[in-house]
């Protein structure tokens, strides 16, 4: 079945630094990738939708200059959290879809801790 | 995105019992999906539903796409300890895979041996 690989699984960074999270579709081409954020004991909140080769569409309230998304190929999307602050600490999850995948496949998530 | 109403919020049951949870929405969805999430992991797809009235099973799991297209339920029969986790419903209003999912708030399931 479809597999989405997300790295790193955990990252701790200092306040003010930037962190890049990668999301790869391993056995299918992902025309669209989604980035979610999840706080403890809460649901997944969509941050942005990215289509290969075009600019990402951000949800209301998500700062596009802070959360940079790049979807340069059909198998790779990256989320960069710039100038991270402690309030950016969260669980970030990507998901990918293409026309042949009837469900949305999720990555295993990245636990970001900003200290 | 739109938040779905998922209930119950949590369930604490004994092994062997059946479980039922449901989701409702104020808008129509074209697709309903049910996911399970273990701590520190991404959600894993359990069942996908694409047609109103559709009833689909996956082992001990059964889910239905409501006739009104505004609701769905998930049943788990004869629960076992490894069923523990958080179950999320998700709906998609768009007609293709370019549309994001809207998620319910989750049902936390605890199963005691």
């Amino acid at each position: 079945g479809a597999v989405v690989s997300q790295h790193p699984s955990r990252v701790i960074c200092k306040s003010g630094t930037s962190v890049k999270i990668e999301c790869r579709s391993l056995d299918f081409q992902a025309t669209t990738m989604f980035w979610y954020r999840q706080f403890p004991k809460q649901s997944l909140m969509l941050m942005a939708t990215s289509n290969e080769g075009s600019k990402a569409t951000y949800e209301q309230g998500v700062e596009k200059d802070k959360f940079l998304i790049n979807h340069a190929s059909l198998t790779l999307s990256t989320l960069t959290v710039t100038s991270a602050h402690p309030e950016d600490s969260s669980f970030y999850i990507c998901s990918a879809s293409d026309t042949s995948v009837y469900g949305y496949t999720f990555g295993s998530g990245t636990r970001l801790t900003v200290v | 995105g739109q938040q779905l109403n998922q209930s119950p919020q949590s369930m604490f049951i004994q092994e062997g019992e059946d479980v039922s949870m449901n989701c409702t929405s104020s808008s129509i969805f074209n697709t309903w999906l049910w996911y399970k999430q273990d701590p520190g992991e991404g959600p894993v797809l359990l069942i996908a539903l694409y047609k109103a009235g559709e009833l689909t099973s996956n082992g001990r799991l059964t889910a239905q796409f409501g006739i009104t297209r505004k609701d769905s339920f998930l049943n788990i029969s004869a629960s076992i300890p490894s069923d523990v986790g958080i179950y999320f419903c998700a709906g998609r209003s768009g007609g293709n895979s370019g549309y994001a999912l809207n998620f319910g708030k989750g049902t936390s399931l605890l199963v005691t041996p």
Side-chain angles (χ1 to χ4, degrees):
Chain A
V3 177
V4 172
S5 174
Q6 185 173 342
H7 291 282
S9 57
R10 290 178 180 271
V11 57
I12 300 173
C13 71
K14 288 187 177 179
S15 189
T17 62
S18 296
V19 172
K20 181 185 282 189
I21 302 169
E22 289 190 350
C23 182
R24 293 180 185 272
S25 57
L26 296 187
D27 49 3
F28 67 101
Q29 292 186 327
T31 50
T32 306
M33 287 189 172
F34 306 94
W35 287 95
Y36 292 84
R37 184 173 180 174
Q38 186 178 33
F39 291 106
K41 299 188 186 302
Q42 292 192 22
S43 187
L44 286 77
M45 297 303 294
L46 180 68
M47 297 175 67
T49 301
S50 74
N51 292 294
E52 184 265 337
S54 60
K55 287 185 180 178
T57 302
Y58 290 81
E59 294 298 297
Q60 193 172 6
V62 177
E63 298 175 59
K64 61 181 180 182
D65 294 329
K66 180 168 187 61
F67 299 99
L68 301 179
I69 291 172
N70 184 281
H71 192 163
S73 77
L74 285 171
T75 60
L76 174 64
S77 176
T78 61
L79 167 67
T80 301
V81 183
T82 63
S83 187
H85 291 286
E87 58 265 30
D88 298 324
S89 299
S90 189
F91 193 55
Y92 293 87
I93 313 173
C94 68
S95 76
S97 71
D98 79 340
T99 54
S100 65
V101 177
Y102 290 102
Y104 292 72
T105 306
F106 283 83
S108 54
T110 297
R111 172 72 60 194
L112 171 63
T113 303
V114 185
V115 298
Chain B
Q2 182 185 353
Q3 189 81 62
L4 305 181
N5 297 312
Q6 184 173 349
S7 64
Q9 186 177 1
S10 61
M11 303 184 74
F12 186 72
I13 62 170
Q14 281 196 316
E15 183 176 3
E17 289 184 14
D18 297 343
V19 170
S20 185
M21 58 192 79
N22 68 81
C23 253
T24 60
S25 166
S26 57
S27 348
I28 289 173
F29 285 116
N30 293 327
T31 303
W32 280 97
L33 304 164
W34 285 92
Y35 287 88
K36 180 180 181 229
Q37 186 178 27
D38 291 327
E41 298 288 333
V44 174
L45 181 66
L46 299 174
I47 292 181
L49 303 159
Y50 303 104
K51 228 162 77 166
E54 181 180 353
L55 182 71
T56 297
S57 292
N58 178 8
R60 294 178 295 105
L61 277 60
T62 302
Q64 184 158 33
F65 192 142
I67 291 289
T68 65
R69 295 167 63 192
K70 293 183 178 182
D71 62 299
S72 177
F73 72 74
L74 173 71
N75 288 342
I76 305 173
S77 62
S79 58
I80 58 178
S82 62
D83 290 334
V84 166
I86 301 178
Y87 292 79
F88 289 100
C89 63
R92 187 183 74 192
S93 55
N96 61 53
S97 57
Y99 287 81
L101 298 177
N102 297 286
F103 279 85
K105 291 189 175 182
T107 295
S108 176
L109 178 63
L110 290 174
V111 181
T112 58

